[in-house]
Amino acid sequence: MSVPLLLQTSYLPAGLIDVETLRHQSLYRLLEEAGRPVRQASETIQAVALTAEQARVLRREPGSPALSSSRLSRGEDGTPLVDDRALLVGDTVITAERAVTGTNLAYGHR
């Protein structure tokens, strides 16, 4: 049985992309194709307990542990492009690959 891994909301300037295309392509790829690629992002992740509504959507018990992620992604000129808010269920595994060129995070499930 599959269960949701995360609940994410992304805020971006109106009219920047066609929201319907998000069903078929990633947000960051669409931004790049629209000539507004993301070049930098700041992210904060902290432990939280799920509210009743969040737990219902994620098919968990209210008060279950989760990770709350807030990420602000900026374009080439530093202009904010995407304000992402995500809740990752408590048994999410985050793997970081670090290199001189940067860090790549992967989110998975146990």
Side-chain angles (χ1 to χ4, degrees):
M1 175 168 106
S2 65
V3 294
L5 176 63
L6 64 91
L7 174 62
Q8 181 167 332
T9 304
S10 299
Y11 301 94
L12 54 154
L16 189 57
I17 61 165
D18 176 13
V19 176
E20 283 301 312
T21 58
L22 284 171
R23 296 182 190 279
H24 310 287
Q25 248 183 323
S26 84
L27 172 59
Y28 291 89
R29 181 167 308 254
L30 289 171
L31 288 168
E32 190 161 330
E33 290 175 1
R36 301 288 300 273
V38 169
R39 292 295 182 233
Q40 185 268 335
S42 300
E43 184 173 22
T44 300
I45 300 173
Q46 65 184 19
V48 297
L50 294 176
T51 67
E53 178 61 17
Q54 293 164 341
R56 183 189 66 74
V57 172
L58 291 168
R59 298 187 212 152
R60 305 283 195 221
E61 290 296 317
S64 294
L67 296 172
S68 174
S69 166
S70 296
R71 180 177 57 222
L72 183 62
S73 299
R74 298 179 180 275
E76 293 176 309
D77 63 356
T79 302
L81 290 176
V82 184
D83 182 1
D84 285 312
R85 307 296 169 94
L87 283 170
L88 296 89
V89 295
D91 53 354
T92 298
V93 175
I94 300 173
T95 304
E97 295 292 332
R98 300 179 190 277
V100 173
T101 56
T103 301
N104 183 37
L105 296 178
Y107 301 91
H109 193 259
R110 278 193 249 175

